Each structure stands twice: as structure tokens, then as C-alpha cells.
Amino acid sequence: LDYLLEQMWRYMGLIRIYTKRRGAPPDLEEPVVLSTERQGGLTVEAAARHISRELLTIFSYGMVWGTSVKFSPQRVGLHHVLDDEDVVQIVT
């Protein structure tokens, strides 16, 4: 059943991104779901826009933990492409 669910997510072009506040553990209960079909795609910019449009105006950089980065955590910009189940912290 888990395999089927994973294949459905992949087929629909959806990924789950988890958010993290500074000094706190990541929130693994409620992911931000991003789609390749939506404007912005699978980037840090799309994740920030999904949370709040105001974040884009005060965005300094993002910290990412997961498979989309070489080092964990790694400092990234708005155009960094995220992978499924990455953890993102947006620094303002």
C-alpha cells in the first residue's frame, strides 16, 4: 500500500516539504505540498509563496536539510529546486 501511495504522488508530480523554525525541530505533521503543475514549481520560492506572499519580500536565504542539497543543512536561494521530504527553514 505504501508503494502504491508513493507511486501516486510521483505520478501526480507532488512533493512534501516540511518547515522548520529557528531553534525548533521540524514540523513533520503538516507538510507543504508542492506540484510541478503550479506556478513556481518545486522551488524554495514556491514553498515560501505557499506559506505567505509576504515572506518573498523579506526573504534573505533558506536553509535546507534533505536530498536536494550536498551538505545538510545548506544555505540556498529562492531558485533552489527541492526534493520530496526536504526540510526548509526560511531566514528573513
Side-chain angles (χ1 to χ4, degrees), residues 15 17 40-45 64 67-69 76-84 86:
I15 65 168
I17 303 299
L42 308 173
T43 62
V44 173
E45 180 180 7
V64 175
T67 58
S68 70
V69 291
V76 298
L78 283 173
H79 300 291
H80 175 76
V81 178
L82 299 164
D83 286 344
D84 191 31
D86 276 356

Side-chain angles (χ1 to χ4, degrees), residues 19-28 65 87-89:
T19 57
K20 179 185 178 319
R21 291 182 185 266
R22 186 178 294 189
D27 178 16
L28 301 177
W65 291 257
V87 176
V88 177
Q89 176 182 340

Side-chain angles (χ1 to χ4, degrees), residues 44-91:
V44 173
E45 180 180 7
R49 184 181 299 118
H50 191 286
I51 296 167
S52 169
R53 290 187 187 269
E54 292 177 10
L55 276 178
L56 293 176
T57 60
I58 58 174
F59 179 89
S60 292
Y61 61 92
M63 296 295 287
V64 175
W65 291 257
T67 58
S68 70
V69 291
K70 188 172 184 179
F71 304 104
S72 204
Q74 185 168 338
R75 185 176 171 159
V76 298
L78 283 173
H79 300 291
H80 175 76
V81 178
L82 299 164
D83 286 344
D84 191 31
E85 297 188 342
D86 276 356
V87 176
V88 177
Q89 176 182 340
I90 295 173
V91 180

